[in-house]
C-alpha cells in the first residue's frame, strides 16, 4: 500500500508525489500547524518538544499525521511495511507514538541529514497504536525528503531503526524491506535488467514503474508542468478500486494523492473519491507562534458539485477546544489499547476457553 516518488532535478525544483493506498476511507483532512506548539511523545512524556517549524499535514481520522511538509521544504510520508517490527520498549526507553512519528520530524528538522543524525544517535523507539478497524497495530515505515533533493527511508524490522540515506533513493513502495526492493528493481528493463516492467498492483511492480518513469522526465518549463508530470506518474502507479484478490481480503486502492514542490513550497492534494484538486502555497500562510491549529475540512467540502478546488490557503478554520480534547482522548485510547494488547489476548483466550467448556 502506498507509493512515494522524488524528482530531485525538475528544472531547479524538488518535486515529490505520494499515493495513499488503503482499503477504507481515512476521512483525511488537511491541518495547518504553527510554530511554537508544545508536544510530547504520546506515550510516557519522556520526550517533549516545541515545534521549530510550521507545517501542513494530511491526517488519518484527524489523529495520525501520515503526510506533510514544513515551511523549510522538509517533507515526510508514512507508508505500510508488513515486515515492520518495533520491538517491546522498556518502561524507561524514550519512545514516540506512531501517530506523532512524522510530526516530530516536521516540527524539528530542516534537512534529511539532520533527521538521519538524530534518528541514528537516539535510536528512538516507536510505540504502536491500535488500528480500530483491524484491531491490530499498523506496520509502518517513514520516508523523508527535503528541498535539496536528499532522501531517506526509515524502517524498523528488529526493534531498531534501519536508515537508508541517499539522494538516489527516489522511489519507495512497500514490501519487501528497502534493501531487497533496491535489488529487485535491477531485474527490470531500463533499470539494469531485461525483465519487462509489470503492470500489476504489486509493490515491486509499482516500484519499478515509478523508478522507470521518474528517470525519464523531460525538464519542465513551469511549476504547473512539473507538478502535472509528477501527478501523471502517481496515477500510473495508483491502485484501482477492485474486488479483493484471492487470499488478499485487505487489498488496497488509491484513495488520495499528494504532489509537493519542496523548493517553491506548494502542497497539492487530490482525492479519488471527491474529485477536486486543492493546493496551498506556503508563502501565503502564516505559521507564527501563538496562532491556533487550523483544519481544512476536505471530507465535507470536497464535494463533486460546488465543492472547494484550487488554492484553498485561506479556508483553514480554527478548531475548538472541545474537538481538540476529543481527538486527544481518542488518540490516548488507541495508544492504551495497543500497549495492553497482550493482556487483551490472554483474556480473550480465557473467555473462549470458558465458552467451549460450557
Amino acid at each position: 500500500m502506498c507509493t512515494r516518488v522524488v524528482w530531485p532535478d525538475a528544472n531547479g525544483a524538488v518535486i515529490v508525489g505520494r499515493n495513499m493506498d488503503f482499503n477504507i476511507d481515512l476521512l483525511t483532512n488537511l491541518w495547518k500547524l504553527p510554530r511554537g506548539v508544545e508536544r510530547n511523545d504520546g506515550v510516557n512524556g519522556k520526550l517533549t518538544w516545541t515545534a521549530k517549524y510550521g507545517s501542513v499535514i494530511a491526517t488519518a481520522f484527524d489523529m495520525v499525521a501520515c503526510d506533510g511538509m514544513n515551511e523549510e521544504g522538509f517533507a515526510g510520508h508514512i507508508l505500510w511495511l508488513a515486515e515492520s517490527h518495533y520491538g517491546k520498549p522498556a518502561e524507561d526507553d524514550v519512545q514516540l507514538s506512531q501517530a506523532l512519528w512524522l510530526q516530530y520530524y516536521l516540527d524539528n528538522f530542516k534537512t534529511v541529514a539532520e533527521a538521519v543524525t538524530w534518528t541514528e544517535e537516539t535510536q528512538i523507539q516507536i510505540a504502536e497504536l491500535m488500528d480500530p478497524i483491524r484491531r491490530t497495530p499498523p506496520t509502518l515505515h517513514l520516508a523523508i525528503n527535503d528541498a535539496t533533493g536528499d532522501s531517506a527511508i526509515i524502517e524498523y524490522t528488529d526493534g531498531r531503526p534501519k536508515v537508508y540515506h541517499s539522494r538516489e533513493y527516489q522511489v519507495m513502495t512497500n514490501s519487501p524491506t528497502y534493501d531487497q526492493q533496491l535489488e529487485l528493481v535491477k531485474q527490470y528493463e531500463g533499470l539494469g535488467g531485461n525483465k519487462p516492467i509489470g503492470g500489476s498492483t504489486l509493490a515491486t511492480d509499482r516500484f519499478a514503474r515509478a523508478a522507470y518513469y521518474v528517470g525519464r522526465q523531460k525538464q519542465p518549463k513551469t511549476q504547473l508542468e512539473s507538478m502535472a508530470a509528477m501527478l501523471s506518474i502517481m496515477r500510473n502507479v495508483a491502485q484501482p478500486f477492485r474486488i479483493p484478490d484471492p487470499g488478499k481480503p485487505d487489498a488496497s486502492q488509491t484513495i488520495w494523492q499528494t504532489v509537493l514542490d519542496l523548493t517553491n513550497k506548494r502542497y497539492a492534494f487530490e482525492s479519488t473519491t471527491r474529485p477536486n484538486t486543492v493546493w496551498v502555497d506556503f508563502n501565503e500562510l502564516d505559521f507564527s507562534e501563538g496562532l491556533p491549529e487550523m483544519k481544512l475540512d476536505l471530507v465535507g467540502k470536497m464535494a463533486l458539485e460546488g465543492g472547494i478546488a484550487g488554492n484553498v490557503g485561506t479556508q483553514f478554520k480554527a478548531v475548538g477546544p472541545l474537538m481538540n480534547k476529543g481527538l486527544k482522548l481518542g488518540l490516548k485510547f488507541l495508544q492504551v489499547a495497543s500497549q495492553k494488547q497482550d493482556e487483551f489476548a490472554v483474556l480473550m483466550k480465557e473467555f473462549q476457553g470458558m465458552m467451549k467448556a460450557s
Side-chain angles (χ1 to χ4, degrees):
M1 298 183 289
C2 306
T3 305
R4 183 224 61 170
V5 183
V6 182
W7 184 9
D9 55 353
N11 198 17
V14 179
I15 307 297
V16 179
R18 183 261 168 78
N19 285 351
M20 169 57 83
D21 303 341
F22 213 67
N23 65 327
I24 60 169
D25 191 342
L26 296 174
L27 303 178
T28 297
N29 293 303
L30 296 185
W31 288 73
K32 181 173 77 73
L33 307 176
R35 302 173 216 116
V37 177
E38 295 183 359
R39 305 190 215 279
N40 63 53
D41 51 43
V43 187
N44 52 25
K46 291 184 179 295
L47 177 63
T48 61
W49 69 94
T50 301
K52 296 179 184 177
Y53 308 112
S55 59
V56 170
I57 62 169
T59 60
F61 307 114
D62 285 332
M63 290 189 289
V64 180
C66 47
D67 196 83
M69 177 171 71
N70 72 20
E71 58 186 315
E72 295 293 339
F74 176 94
H77 323 273
I78 293 286
L79 282 73
W80 197 269
L81 178 67
E83 290 85 353
S84 296
H85 178 66
Y86 305 102
K88 291 288 185 183
E91 280 291 325
D92 58 349
D93 280 348
V94 179
Q95 300 177 55
L96 187 58
S97 167
Q98 283 180 327
L100 293 162
W101 187 8
L102 170 59
Q103 194 60 55
Y104 183 89
Y105 283 70
L106 295 177
D107 284 350
N108 288 285
F109 302 120
K110 180 178 180 179
T111 67
V112 168
E114 292 174 358
V116 167
T117 297
W118 179 84
T119 303
E120 292 179 335
E121 288 180 352
T122 63
Q123 294 289 297
I124 188 73
Q125 296 291 289
I126 300 302
E128 298 172 315
L129 290 174
M130 179 63 73
D131 183 334
I133 306 301
R134 293 179 173 85
R135 297 183 182 178
T136 58
T139 52
L140 310 171
H141 55 169
L142 174 65
I144 52 177
N145 22 257
D146 65 30
T148 73
D150 201 4
S151 172
I153 290 89
I154 304 170
E155 299 180 344
Y156 286 75
T157 55
D158 60 0
R160 296 291 174 180
K162 173 66 175 177
V163 180
Y164 303 91
H165 179 201
S166 171
R167 182 185 172 91
E168 303 304 313
Y169 296 157
Q170 298 176 9
V171 177
M172 172 179 169
T173 55
N174 315 110
S175 298
T177 54
Y178 199 69
D179 54 341
Q180 294 179 63
Q181 284 280 20
L182 292 173
E183 289 301 314
L184 286 170
V185 77
K186 294 176 183 178
Q187 66 186 302
Y188 292 103
E189 186 176 355
L191 300 170
N194 53 20
K195 181 179 178 180
I197 294 177
S200 81
T201 60
L202 290 173
T204 48
D205 282 354
R206 287 184 281 115
F207 193 110
R209 291 203 304 279
Y212 181 89
Y213 286 113
V214 77
R216 284 160 176 76
Q217 290 299 310
K218 66 178 182 179
Q219 286 298 301
K221 295 184 176 68
T222 65
Q223 184 188 53
L224 177 61
E225 284 187 12
S226 63
M227 296 188 77
M230 178 56 75
L231 187 56
S232 74
I233 295 172
M234 303 318 297
R235 286 170 173 161
N236 183 277
V237 297
Q239 299 200 52
F241 285 68
R242 64 196 186 278
I243 296 171
D245 301 325
K248 299 179 181 179
D250 295 329
S252 297
Q253 54 267 339
T254 299
I255 57 175
W256 51 258
Q257 299 162 314
T258 57
V259 176
L260 296 67
D261 183 335
L262 306 189
T263 305
N264 300 295
K265 315 296 192 305
R266 172 174 284 183
Y267 187 94
F269 179 98
E270 180 180 77
S271 170
T272 54
T273 58
R274 302 173 182 87
N276 290 336
T277 301
V278 298
W279 66 83
V280 293
D281 288 318
F282 278 42
N283 61 4
E284 299 174 359
L285 303 179
D286 189 352
F287 293 104
S288 298
E289 183 174 349
L291 291 177
E293 299 183 16
M294 304 182 78
K295 172 181 168 180
L296 178 63
D297 179 12
L298 299 182
V299 174
K301 293 187 176 180
M302 285 188 77
L304 180 59
E305 297 182 6
I308 59 173
N311 189 340
V312 293
T314 62
Q315 300 193 45
F316 286 83
K317 303 295 182 185
V319 174
L322 185 60
M323 181 177 180
N324 259 330
K325 184 177 181 181
L327 291 174
K328 288 177 181 178
L329 283 172
L331 191 56
K332 186 65 176 177
F333 170 80
L334 296 179
Q335 191 73 59
V336 171
S338 177
Q339 293 170 344
K340 300 294 184 180
Q341 60 180 304
D342 291 341
E343 295 177 31
F344 180 77
V346 170
L347 290 172
M348 281 298 295
K349 187 174 181 180
E350 182 179 347
F351 175 76
Q352 291 167 351
M354 289 173 58
M355 294 297 292
K356 288 179 181 178
S358 64

